[in-house]
Structure formats: structure tokens, C-alpha cells
Amino acid sequence: MSSIAVPGALAPRRAWLTDLPVLFVAVVWGASYLAAKDITTARTVVAVLVLRFALVLPVLAAVGRRSLRALTAAQWRGAGLLGLILSGIFLLETYGVVHTSATNAGLIISLTMIFTPLAEAAATRVRPPRAFLAAAGLSVLGVVLLTQGGGFTRPSLGDLLMLLAALARTLHVLAMSRVKAVQGADALPLTTVQLGAAVVVFAVLSAGADTTPWGTAAGFGVREWAGLIFLSVFCTLFAFFVQMWAVRRTSPSRVSLLLGTEPLWAAAAGIALGGERFGALGLAGGGLVLVGTAWGRRAAG
């Protein structure tokens, strides 16, 4: 984009006016794991995903209808492929958070910040800096400690699913950078097509399930509807538009740095609102994950 600002070029007050909405996105993303856990069971995962994205998809399509018509057939196919990967990410994340704590989910998924540079290094055959490798090792050790609770035991199913979700997120990032058809297209229509493809996948899966989206919605009370609206409006629609707005007023690296605080807020929400508790190993592991991912982000440049 031709009008991206240099971080230091913003006046301090203006920089904070841009930073605060982005930081709020990190906060709501951190809280999204607890919200998803609160309104979802293993039987209603697919139904909740249909509802979550079907609520916001018409808004995105209406706002970006002109840019959607401007997409080429190749761009539609490329975005559709990315949408299939995205559907896998959301399925793994949502099933994962059902079977583990919200805090574990937020911290384990942050390993994407370590996995992505490692995958890029493997694809380009460029050895990453030693500092980054050390940070990656620290993060992995942190996850091992985090998932142990009071002693060394087998990680839960949810922990393993969140680890797979982090790997799937890495695949999604790599695909976005390497699928030539989508390069140069606007973010809004690409996001809309991806979410549309994901909703189609969820709808097909829900067709053969015992619990339908409409049956699940009919059984929701005020608490569940509040959680669903939070996930749809704030964690999806609001978050997307804030990112588009912010990246035009500051640098992508500054936006990434602020969004990188997501695991901190996931831990805060899980402990303060979800009543989740850790033993000494869990606390040490969570701290190592946060330190390792922050260090790795800086080392990767």
C-alpha cells in the first residue's frame, strides 16, 4: 500500500489513537477462547460455527459487493482454497477449546508466531537466526510445562487440537503468501470469499449432524446469544475492519506487535473470568510461552 506510515512518523497522541482499537482487538481475541468455550459443546461445534460466520457474512458481502465483482475467476478459486484451510483452523480451534482451558488454548495457538518463520525458513532454505531458534525452543518447552498441570502427564485432546490449529494457521499464512492468484487483491473480498467457503464447509458438515444450527440457536438463552454476538460482531467483523483501518495509518509491524498480546489477554480472561488455575509448572510454562514468542517475533525481524 502506498500510504503506509512509518511508525516513528506518527505523533504520540495520534499513534495511541490508532493503537488503542488494535489493542482492543487483541483483547477481544484473547477473550474469544473463553466465550467459545462458554457457548459450545462437542456436539454443537459445527452449528455454532455456522451461526457465528453466517451472521457477519452478509455484512461483509454488502460492504464489499463492488470489490467482489472485480475478482477474477482465479482469485475466486484461490480465495476458496484458502477458505478450506480456514475452515480447518476454526474446526480445530473450536473443538480444541471445548476440550482444554481457554488459557491453554490462547497460549498454545500463539506458537503460530514461532511456527510460521520456521516454515518460511524451511521453504526458502534459509537458516533462521540462532536467537530465533533459541526462542522457538523456549516456547516449545513452555507449552510442554503448560500442558502438564500438577505433573508430567499426557497432554489433553484439546491441547493437541490447539497445537494442530497453530500448524494449520501457519499453513494458511504460507498459502496466502504463495498462492499467486490472490496476491494483489483487496483484503475485504478475499476475506469474504474465504469466510463464505468456510461457512459452506460448516453447513455441509452440519447437514449430517444430530444438532442443527437452527436447533442450537433455538436452545440459546441470553448468555449464549451474547457470547455468539461477541464472537461474530467483535471477534470477526469489528476485528477485520480495525485491522484494515489501522494498517493504513501505521506500520504492519506495529499492528502485528499489538495483536501479538492476544495470549496475554487469553490468560487474563481465563484466570479472571473463567476461574482457571495453574500449578507451578503451568505458570512457568505460560511465562515461557509469552517470553519465547515475544523474543521470537523480534528475532525474526
Side-chain angles (χ1 to χ4, degrees), residues 220-236:
F220 276 180
V222 174
R223 181 188 181 98
E224 288 79 11
W225 274 109
L228 181 65
I229 291 171
F230 173 74
L231 290 170
S232 297
V233 176
F234 288 95
C235 300
T236 306

Side-chain angles (χ1 to χ4, degrees), residues 134-160:
L138 195 66
S139 298
V140 172
L141 175 61
V143 168
V144 171
L145 295 178
L146 175 70
T147 58
Q148 298 312 307
F152 284 95
T153 58
R154 181 180 300 177
S156 71
L157 172 62
D159 294 333
L160 294 175

Side-chain angles (χ1 to χ4, degrees), residues 68-81:
L68 279 171
R69 287 197 294 266
L71 291 179
T72 66
Q75 288 172 330
W76 275 89
R77 289 192 297 271
L81 173 62

Side-chain angles (χ1 to χ4, degrees), residues 123-258:
T124 59
R125 299 183 180 180
V126 176
R127 182 181 177 86
R130 290 183 179 179
F132 178 81
L133 294 176
L138 195 66
S139 298
V140 172
L141 175 61
V143 168
V144 171
L145 295 178
L146 175 70
T147 58
Q148 298 312 307
F152 284 95
T153 58
R154 181 180 300 177
S156 71
L157 172 62
D159 294 333
L160 294 175
L161 288 173
M162 294 309 299
L163 189 60
L164 289 175
L167 291 170
R169 277 196 186 190
T170 298
L171 175 62
H172 187 256
V173 172
L174 291 180
M176 286 185 69
S177 66
R178 283 168 171 74
V179 176
K180 293 182 179 179
V182 302
Q183 294 174 6
D186 289 341
L188 177 56
L190 289 181
T191 300
T192 304
V193 174
Q194 286 184 71
L195 289 181
V199 169
V200 170
V201 171
F202 302 146
V204 169
L205 292 176
S206 69
D210 296 333
T211 307
T212 65
W214 327 121
T216 299
F220 276 180
V222 174
R223 181 188 181 98
E224 288 79 11
W225 274 109
L228 181 65
I229 291 171
F230 173 74
L231 290 170
S232 297
V233 176
F234 288 95
C235 300
T236 306
L237 194 63
F238 170 79
F240 172 74
F241 283 111
V242 165
Q243 288 180 85
M244 284 188 63
W245 170 81
V247 81
R248 287 168 168 79
R249 287 161 177 79
T250 183
S251 69
S253 60
R254 190 178 182 95
V255 172
S256 177
L257 183 64
L258 292 166

Side-chain angles (χ1 to χ4, degrees), residues 245-292:
W245 170 81
V247 81
R248 287 168 168 79
R249 287 161 177 79
T250 183
S251 69
S253 60
R254 190 178 182 95
V255 172
S256 177
L257 183 64
L258 292 166
L259 293 179
T261 63
E262 175 189 343
L264 283 172
W265 303 112
I271 294 170
L273 302 177
E276 298 174 356
R277 295 291 180 267
F278 295 100
L281 284 177
L283 287 173
L288 288 179
V289 170
L290 294 174
V291 171

